[in-house]
Amino acid sequence: MKVQLEALRKSAAEKIAAAKSRADLEALRIAYLGKKGELTAILKQMGKLSAEERPVMGQLANEARAFIEEAITASDNELKEKEKAARLKAETLDVTMPGKQIELGHKHPLSIVLDEVKDIFIGMGFSIASGPEIELDYYNFEALNIPEGHPARDTQDTFYITDKVLLRTQTSPVQIRYMEHNKPPIRIISPGRVYRSDAADATHSPLFHQIEGLVVDKGVTMGDLKACLETLAKALFGESTKIRLRPHHFPFTEPSCEVDVSCFRCGGKGCPMCKGEGWIEILGAGMVHPQVLRNGGIDPEEYSGFAFGVGLERIALFRFHIDDIRLFYENDMRFLSQF
Ligand code: PHE
């Protein structure tokens, strides 16, 4: 029996040392010390021993039990530590690792140019006005001296909601709407969407943007108009930019003109950008027609004014050297991310 106990201690010590997990240890504890375990099996032979031998063997058996229990506890503690260390290693957080990049958007090229134009005019004391995109025939045409049947309607065909309600073809109706509710001095710009029933191509879009300008006060002259537009042109395209006023016709201004800026690529010598002209047309303008002032409730004997209308896309095309207006509306990130 003594030999058996020795062998038991030895084999238990080896197996405990080789255990790889706490579950293994628990299995060993049951195998050696459990009710049906090996130690119990040995103790069952006690009955065969003499009265003198019994307490000696009992002592040895207790020592073997204590030895195995201790070995298991020690090994269990060791494995616990190892498991903890492994878990900590697996869960390590590297705080120096770069974070996830959040992609920031930015302004659309049209908004970039629009904000610039707004800044330029706010700097000259203008305020910003707005009007509806779904407009009455009266404001879009009638009140601007374009009665039914007038040839100017042909060049501004639009989308009709009813006979009298349409998508505005220009921002000029804001002139009338603003004059109806405000007394001179008036100094506003009014940016916004306008619509024409044009097929989309590199230079046309059924939806585009204009910026209307209106100044009404006592003694306003064409000289004021020219100075104002010169300031705009220089601020947008550079100090050396010149402007040129060409006689034109708009039913709601008299006299009327189209305004060109000297080509900012060739400086006026002529290049592909200005198609050899040296000049690039950017807007229409003129002195507000007396009847238009009257339609807005303002006495043309007392007041005079000028107005202009700029195409926002046109300016953005030139500013960013873009050759197709459709790029502005396609939301292609390859295009938009360049600004
Ligand atoms: N509304 C005109 C157009 O769309 C431009 C313009 C505005 C001309 C104001 C003169 C005065 O063509």
Side-chain angles (χ1 to χ4, degrees), residues 20 31 34 44 50-51 72 76 80 130 141 300 325:
K20 288 205 170 57
K44 277 184 185 149
S50 66
I72 288 178
D76 191 53
K80 236 197 287 191
S130 64
F141 292 129
I325 194 175

Side-chain angles (χ1 to χ4, degrees), residues 11 72 78 80 94 123-124 139 152 164 168 185 210 231 237 253 281 295 301 328:
S11 98
I72 288 178
E78 213 173 281
K80 236 197 287 191
D94 182 355
M124 289 192 272
Y139 289 106
K164 292 288 166 212
R168 68 178 180 186
Q210 288 188 336
T231 306
F237 299 114
T253 47
E281 183 215 320
N295 292 345
E301 298 298 325
F328 288 132

Side-chain angles (χ1 to χ4, degrees), residues 139-185:
Y139 289 106
N140 196 79
F141 292 129
E142 287 279 341
L144 293 170
N145 285 342
I146 314 172
E148 227 180 295
H150 192 287
R153 290 204 181 201
D154 285 350
T155 59
Q156 299 200 5
D157 192 15
T158 182
F159 306 92
Y160 284 84
I161 287 139
T162 68
D163 271 1
K164 292 288 166 212
V165 181
L166 45 80
L167 295 186
R168 68 178 180 186
T169 60
Q170 47 188 354
T171 43
S172 301
V174 182
Q175 291 185 31
I176 307 290
R177 286 183 176 275
Y178 195 84
M179 286 190 284
E180 281 180 346
H181 296 286
N182 297 275
K183 300 238 161 314

Side-chain angles (χ1 to χ4, degrees), residues 247-269:
H248 196 75
H249 172 261
F250 296 105
F252 38 92
T253 47
E254 178 58 36
S256 304
C257 59
E258 275 188 336
V259 179
D260 301 338
V261 292
S262 54
C263 179
F264 29 84
R265 183 170 281 179
C266 64
K269 284 189 218 76

Side-chain angles (χ1 to χ4, degrees), residues 55-178:
V56 181
M57 280 307 149
Q59 171 80 12
L60 281 177
N62 282 341
E63 276 172 22
R65 172 182 291 277
F67 169 81
I68 295 169
E69 273 172 357
E70 242 167 68
I72 288 178
T73 310
S75 179
D76 191 53
N77 284 339
E78 213 173 281
L79 284 173
K80 236 197 287 191
E81 282 305 313
K82 266 193 199 157
E83 275 174 23
K84 191 168 149 194
R87 208 172 54 235
L88 282 178
K89 202 171 167 207
E91 289 173 2
T92 309
L93 192 70
D94 182 355
V95 292
T96 65
M97 237 159 70
K100 276 186 198 154
Q101 287 265 350
I102 297 170
E103 259 198 69
L104 277 186
H106 59 73
K107 280 193 237 170
H108 189 279
L110 289 178
S111 298
I112 295 173
V113 175
L114 176 57
D115 286 351
E116 268 181 45
V117 172
K118 280 184 185 167
D119 280 350
I120 294 164
F121 281 105
I122 286 168
M124 289 192 272
F126 284 62
S127 40
I128 316 273
S130 64
E133 289 171 30
I134 300 172
E135 186 52 286
L136 295 174
D137 181 284
Y138 173 74
Y139 289 106
N140 196 79
F141 292 129
E142 287 279 341
L144 293 170
N145 285 342
I146 314 172
E148 227 180 295
H150 192 287
R153 290 204 181 201
D154 285 350
T155 59
Q156 299 200 5
D157 192 15
T158 182
F159 306 92
Y160 284 84
I161 287 139
T162 68
D163 271 1
K164 292 288 166 212
V165 181
L166 45 80
L167 295 186
R168 68 178 180 186
T169 60
Q170 47 188 354
T171 43
S172 301
V174 182
Q175 291 185 31
I176 307 290
R177 286 183 176 275
Y178 195 84

